[in-house]
Amino acid sequence: MFEITVRLPTKKIDRIITHLYQKGYHQTFYEVPLDVVTDANGYAFVEKRNETTELNIYINNYFEAKERRKLVELLAIDESSLVVKEVNERNYQLTFDDIFLENGWVITTPDRRNDYHKEKRIVLDSQGNFGTGYHETTKDCLYFILKHDFTGLGVADIGAGSGVLSVAAAIKGAELIDTYDIQLVEREILYQCELNSVKPVNVFQSDLIKNKNRINKKYDFIFLNIGTQENMDILIAQRLLDCKDTTFILSGMLEWNYNRVETLFKDVGFLLVKKKQSNEWVTCVFKAQ
């Protein structure tokens, strides 16, 4: 496999990638330059549209003169701007290191699954959605989930991303798992279920803030790991605080604003029964009194 790198204006990247895809270049990657700012809701990311960034294009077979001329024409750049190197396809696919969680659990890749006991591992092949296990919020949600016996219980995983929290609940015996995400993540989540040999979960794509009353089931547990304001908006829009028999695991909140969520729960009769903080990130478990 060959990696071809070129630096291009960020504001043109999306249009260029679409054009490349139409011409048969289906594997591309770039990182959007971002400024990190803080506000009352926590961290926010502002895209720096007037800068340039590196676009990586991956192809299996590379014929130097032919491909160079083709890409130079497609990208409308000088040939000297192309940087080409051969990459080991195995290393290219192993994007993530193993993640060692508390309680002896590990998140590993399909290639390394046999390095760990199946009773203490989650196999994850993240394809770009949030929830690889590196972030503190995911790790702390998993800390609570993997300590609990979910046998026979029903779970809703809202803002599911890669589906790692759902997979963990399935491994721990959950009978029914419904995942909700604003993005189209069904194929990835079902793939993660297959990798872990658990029953496929139900996947729903929906904007749960704008699409009110989308959730009409009762769950024993609801996972909500997005952000403080988003968590609150979904709880209110979906009337989830009426679910007095449900235990909530919430994360994506920061030490300077999680109390807003705590107040929301306390006002309707829930208790903060457990809390875990990693760096500035706070994860809470709420249960009705």
Side-chain angles (χ1 to χ4, degrees):
M1 175 176 285
F2 290 85
E3 179 185 75
I4 303 166
T5 304
V6 61
R7 181 165 284 278
L8 297 168
T10 303
K11 60 186 177 183
K12 296 181 179 180
I13 287 284
D14 290 339
R15 177 174 55 83
I16 289 170
I17 287 177
T18 300
H19 191 43
L20 287 169
Y21 189 88
Q22 292 170 345
K23 298 297 182 180
Y25 295 93
H26 297 154
Q27 297 184 72
T28 60
F29 173 79
Y30 75 100
E31 291 187 359
V32 179
L34 297 172
D35 276 330
V36 182
V37 298
T38 58
D39 56 25
N41 189 39
Y43 290 120
F45 300 92
V46 179
E47 184 175 336
K48 297 189 281 190
R49 297 289 291 174
N50 294 323
E51 296 197 7
T52 61
T53 191
E54 288 186 348
L55 172 66
N56 295 322
I57 306 163
Y58 297 94
I59 60 175
N60 292 320
N61 299 304
Y62 183 71
F63 301 96
E64 185 168 355
K66 177 182 176 181
E67 291 295 341
R68 278 187 178 274
R69 287 195 300 270
K70 187 176 179 181
L71 284 170
V72 164
E73 181 179 347
L74 285 173
L75 299 172
I77 59 171
D78 186 85
E79 186 172 349
S80 62
S81 301
L82 293 177
V83 177
V84 181
K85 69 177 181 179
E86 188 171 5
V87 295
N88 184 295
E89 189 166 354
R90 174 177 169 82
N91 292 335
Y92 164 75
Q93 293 174 343
L94 299 181
T95 307
F96 301 105
D97 294 328
D98 294 337
I99 303 166
F100 296 94
L101 305 172
E102 298 180 57
N103 305 324
W105 284 80
V106 62
I107 299 176
T108 189
T109 63
D111 307 72
R112 299 192 290 267
R113 72 174 83 194
N114 292 330
D115 294 347
Y116 304 98
H117 196 284
K118 64 180 181 180
E119 300 300 325
K120 284 284 188 175
R121 76 180 182 208
I122 298 174
V123 183
L124 186 70
D125 184 5
S126 179
Q127 299 171 3
N129 284 305
F130 182 80
T132 61
Y134 280 100
H135 200 273
E136 293 95 328
T137 59
T138 307
K139 289 181 181 179
D140 288 349
C141 284
L142 288 170
Y143 170 80
F144 290 120
I145 293 169
L146 293 171
K147 287 180 64 175
H148 193 82
D149 181 6
F150 283 84
T151 301
L153 300 182
V155 172
D157 182 3
I158 299 175
S162 70
V164 65
L165 302 185
S166 293
V167 168
I171 290 172
K172 296 294 289 183
E175 177 67 24
L176 168 71
I177 303 176
D178 291 340
T179 66
Y180 299 86
D181 201 287
I182 197 170
Q183 302 295 333
L184 186 61
V185 295
E186 181 174 15
R187 185 169 68 172
E188 178 175 352
I189 292 178
L190 295 181
Y191 175 49
Q192 312 301 351
C193 291
E194 181 182 346
L195 288 175
N196 289 274
S197 301
V198 296
K199 184 173 68 174
V201 304
N202 304 309
V203 184
F204 303 99
Q205 181 186 12
S206 180
D207 183 335
L208 294 181
I209 297 174
K210 295 180 180 178
N211 188 10
K212 295 180 174 57
N213 301 322
R214 176 67 171 78
I215 298 177
N216 54 14
K217 297 180 183 179
K218 299 295 183 181
Y219 299 101
D220 299 291
F221 275 79
I222 291 178
F223 309 150
L224 190 48
N225 179 20
I226 306 177
T228 299
Q229 189 60 53
E230 292 83 0
N231 290 349
M232 295 174 66
D233 290 342
I234 290 172
L235 288 167
I236 293 169
Q238 297 296 321
R239 300 179 181 176
L240 296 178
L241 295 171
D242 293 338
C243 303
K244 303 302 184 184
D245 295 327
T246 299
T247 300
F248 292 83
I249 300 178
L250 270 76
S251 196
M253 305 173 294
L254 291 147
E255 61 183 354
W256 58 82
N257 63 23
Y258 84 92
N259 59 299
R260 295 165 56 200
V261 175
E262 183 180 4
T263 298
L264 186 66
F265 273 97
K266 284 186 174 180
D267 285 347
V268 293
F270 281 81
L271 289 176
L272 173 59
V273 294
K274 295 176 184 176
K275 185 180 84 169
K276 194 173 189 303
Q277 181 168 346
S278 296
N279 296 319
E280 69 269 43
W281 299 97
V282 177
T283 301
C284 297
V285 180
F286 294 99
K287 197 169 185 177
Q289 299 184 45

